[in-house]
Amino acid sequence: MPNPAAGCSMADMANIAEVEECWELLHETLGDDAGIIPVTYMNSAANLKAFCGANGGIVCTSSNAPKVIDWAFKQGKRVLFFPDQHLGRNTATHYGIQAEQMVVWDPKDPMAFDDAEEVLANSKIILWKGHCSTHMRFSVEQIEKARVDYPGINVLVHPECRQEVVEAADLYGSTEYIIEQIEKAPAGSQWAVGTEINLVHRLAQENPDKFIFCLDPIVCPCSTMYRIHPAYVAWVLEGLLDDNVINQVSVDEETSHWARVALQRMLDLA
């Protein structure tokens, strides 16, 4: 790992102890017929992927989340989605799940919501209370301002944004989808993009025939993932040339096995 200080603040919002406690409480509340399928976003720890693998669940990316949700409902009655509630909510809404069938699970205060047992019994999606700090910066107000400043602007955002932002945008989708839409857009088109600033800058540089800018005027990169920059990558690559593995990450065999199971279920959907 080029920089051990790098990471993902969203991934840190769900840890294995909290997820296991949630799993136990949900089954105590819902009984043997709970039918819960755990789904973890790719941005999560290996032990959470392993948890999903060992409990009939799966991993998803922002690109294949709709396909994964469809798979999960063919396996069970409910989905426990972590760590990002917004990707889960936006995907579930697109799938046709109603707002009243979704519940947010706060690991710091579980079962604190009113009529918890009834709400959980009626739920289809249980959303972990986690989020991407970078995508939380985007707002409906920013979209409204972009439309005033640039009439006819195309607004394109990532599904890690809040639901109201996704609904206010013209298009939304994964990083891959955002890149694809920009690249195939006609010359002269204008785009306000709601995702990580480094990707937006790269798209602007690679598509000089289009006007592309980030919705967030403050321009805030992901403070944790951004810690891996070219100098660190070069250092690691140069070490490999000298047979020196820098900051090697190892995972115990059981975690590796079950994480691989969850990942393979995802890959099998391709």
Side-chain angles (χ1 to χ4, degrees):
M1 188 172 180
N3 184 353
C8 174
S9 59
M10 176 177 66
D12 293 340
M13 293 178 188
N15 63 58
I16 189 62
E18 291 174 336
V19 170
E20 287 176 341
E21 179 187 24
C22 169
W23 191 252
E24 184 177 337
L25 286 172
L26 287 175
H27 282 87
E28 285 179 1
T29 304
L30 297 170
D32 296 335
D33 194 34
I36 306 170
I37 304 299
V39 176
T40 189
Y41 192 17
M42 186 65 78
N43 299 26
S44 62
N47 55 14
L48 293 191
K49 294 179 176 70
F51 174 89
C52 289
N55 289 281
I58 192 169
V59 179
C60 79
T61 67
S62 56
S63 295
N64 64 25
K67 188 178 294 185
V68 166
I69 290 293
D70 180 65
W71 174 90
F73 277 114
K74 290 175 180 175
Q75 315 305 311
K77 295 167 58 177
R78 297 178 177 85
V79 170
L80 171 61
F81 191 99
F82 49 88
D84 181 37
Q85 62 171 304
H86 301 295
L87 177 63
R89 182 179 293 104
N90 290 320
T91 304
T93 299
H94 179 77
Y95 185 78
I97 305 298
Q98 302 301 308
E100 58 269 21
Q101 296 175 305
M102 303 186 207
V103 59
V104 176
W105 182 273
D106 184 352
K108 306 303 180 187
D109 195 12
M111 305 293 287
F113 42 93
D114 295 336
D115 304 320
E117 293 186 10
E118 181 180 351
V119 170
L120 287 173
N122 293 328
S123 69
K124 299 278 285 181
I125 295 277
I126 301 165
L127 302 165
W128 195 265
K129 191 177 182 181
H131 62 268
C132 170
S133 299
T134 297
H135 287 99
M136 283 289 284
R137 294 186 62 87
F138 301 112
S139 67
V140 174
E141 290 73 23
Q142 291 169 352
I143 293 176
E144 291 172 345
K145 185 176 188 307
R147 295 198 190 284
V148 170
D149 293 344
Y150 305 98
I153 192 78
N154 299 289
V155 180
L156 175 57
V157 303
H158 195 278
E160 288 178 20
C161 295
R162 286 169 291 187
Q163 186 176 25
E164 58 266 29
V165 175
V166 167
E167 291 175 346
D170 298 303
L171 298 166
Y172 78 95
S174 66
T175 299
E176 179 183 4
Y177 177 83
I178 290 172
I179 295 170
E180 178 185 302
Q181 292 301 310
I182 296 290
E183 288 181 343
K184 74 178 186 181
S189 58
Q190 299 183 330
W191 297 86
V193 184
T195 195
E196 210 275 329
I197 186 61
N198 290 291
L199 174 62
V200 180
H201 278 172
R202 194 179 85 217
L203 288 171
Q205 291 171 355
E206 294 174 352
N207 296 271
D209 58 337
K210 301 152 195 170
F211 177 57
I212 302 166
F213 67 95
C214 185
L215 270 174
D216 182 8
I218 304 300
V219 184
C220 179
C222 177
S223 60
T224 49
M225 294 183 70
Y226 191 57
R227 291 170 184 164
I228 294 181
H229 53 72
Y232 282 106
V233 176
W235 174 51
V236 170
L237 292 175
E238 288 166 358
L240 291 174
L241 290 174
D242 296 329
D243 294 324
N244 177 25
V245 181
I246 297 169
N247 299 330
Q248 184 172 5
V249 177
S250 60
V251 179
D252 66 89
E253 186 175 343
E254 183 176 5
T255 299
S256 178
H257 168 74
W258 287 113
R260 194 175 290 114
V261 168
L263 286 162
Q264 190 59 53
R265 287 177 183 144
M266 178 188 76
L267 294 173
D268 288 343
L269 295 179

